[in-house]
Amino acid sequence: MIGAAGIVMAAGKGTRFASDIPKVMHQVAGRPMLAHVVEAGAAAGLEPLVVVIRPGMDVGSATDGAVTVNQPPAGRGTAFAVEIGLSAVPCDIGTVVALYGDSPLVRPATVRGVIDALQSANAAAAIAWADVPDPGAFGRVRLAEAGLVEGIVEASDASPADLALTTVNAGPAAFRASWLRRVLPRVQPSPRSGERYLTQLVDLATEDGELVAGYQITDLDETIGCDDLERLAAADAAFRRRT
C-alpha cells in the first residue's frame, strides 16, 4: 500500500446562504472556497484528489486537477460522501484523507500533519482537533492520553457534559484505507438527524481495538467552516490577513 489520496466533501447545498450558488462555490479572497481546499490537498501531495459533488453541480475550474464524482441524492452525511468518493480511489492507496469543501483555510501542513499522526501511531484513523473558546455546532472531541482520541460526538447528539467541552473536531481526518473500506458500511444513520456521520468511525475503531490519533490545529482560522454568510465573511477576512 502506497501514497495518500484525498476525498473532498463538497455536495452540500448551503441553504443558509439563501442562494442558488452551491455552498462551496461561494468566494473567499476572490476564489471559490472549493478551489482553496483542492489547492491545499494537491499541495499536500494527495493523489488522486476526489471531489464529491451533487449531480449537475457546476464547479467550473475549482476542481482542476481533481477527479469529480456525483453523490446520489438518496444518501445523507459525511460517511456516505466518503463512501462515494472511495469509488474513485485505487485499492493500492494506503491512506485516505477526508477534507471539508467548506473549510477554505486548511493548510497543506495540517493535511500532512494528520497523515503523519496516523502513521506514527500505527492508527486506523487520525482526527484534527482544536481547542476553541466558543465551540458552537462543532462536534466535540474526547481526548485520551498520549495524543489519542477517545471519541467524537456531533453537537446535535451531544449530552450537556459533552457540550461543555471546548475540544472540537475541526479539520481533516486521515484513515488507513483498507480499514476504512471495511468499516464504512457499518456506519449507521444518526437517530436524531438521519445522517451517517464520519465521526462514528472513532467508536468503530475502538470496537475493533484500533487506535485513533489526534492532531491539534493551533491556527484557529483553519477551523472556520463556512456554513453561513457570517462565517464566509470571517473566512474571507482571515484569508486576506494571511496573504
Side-chain angles (χ1 to χ4, degrees):
M1 296 288 187
I2 59 170
I7 297 175
V8 181
M9 298 170 284
K13 293 182 179 179
T15 53
R16 296 178 188 172
F17 287 84
S19 169
D20 292 332
I21 300 172
K23 176 170 70 168
V24 297
M25 295 304 292
H26 284 265
Q27 293 197 351
V28 168
R31 298 175 66 204
M33 66 175 95
L34 177 58
H36 293 295
V37 179
V38 169
E39 185 176 88
L46 301 182
E47 175 64 36
L49 191 57
V50 181
V51 182
V52 182
I53 61 175
R54 296 193 313 278
M57 186 172 156
D58 183 6
V59 294
S61 62
T63 57
D64 281 359
V67 178
T68 57
V69 296
N70 288 327
Q71 177 174 316
R76 297 177 60 204
T78 49
F80 180 70
V82 169
E83 205 166 30
I84 296 301
L86 272 175
S87 66
V89 176
C91 289
D92 62 347
I93 295 291
T95 301
V96 172
V97 180
L99 298 160
Y100 293 92
D102 63 355
S103 296
L105 280 97
V106 63
R107 297 179 186 271
T110 295
V111 178
R112 294 305 315 176
V114 176
I115 295 172
D116 291 345
L118 175 83
Q119 296 174 346
S120 297
N122 193 25
I127 304 296
W129 63 274
D131 194 346
V132 300
D134 181 15
F138 278 115
R140 306 307 200 266
V141 174
R142 303 184 192 118
L143 295 173
E145 296 179 355
L148 298 177
V149 172
E150 184 177 87
I152 300 178
V153 59
E154 296 292 337
S156 59
D157 296 330
S159 68
D162 283 324
L163 286 175
L165 296 173
T166 57
T167 47
V168 301
N169 177 33
F175 304 93
R176 188 191 312 143
S178 58
W179 179 84
L180 181 65
R181 291 182 187 275
R182 187 171 67 252
V183 173
L184 266 176
R186 290 164 51 193
V187 176
Q188 298 300 308
S190 162
R192 296 191 183 183
S193 69
E195 296 191 30
R196 294 174 62 218
Y197 292 125
L198 200 62
T199 50
Q200 194 185 125
L201 291 173
V202 175
D203 294 333
L204 294 176
T206 300
E207 288 179 19
D208 291 350
E210 298 276 6
L211 298 177
V212 178
Y215 178 82
Q216 184 178 7
I217 296 175
T218 55
D219 177 4
L220 297 187
D221 285 346
E222 288 190 71
T223 71
I224 300 173
C226 301
D227 287 334
D228 56 31
L229 291 172
E230 182 180 357
R231 292 184 178 89
L232 182 70
D236 185 81
F239 202 100
R240 293 178 188 280
R241 287 196 302 269
R242 176 186 290 182
T243 57

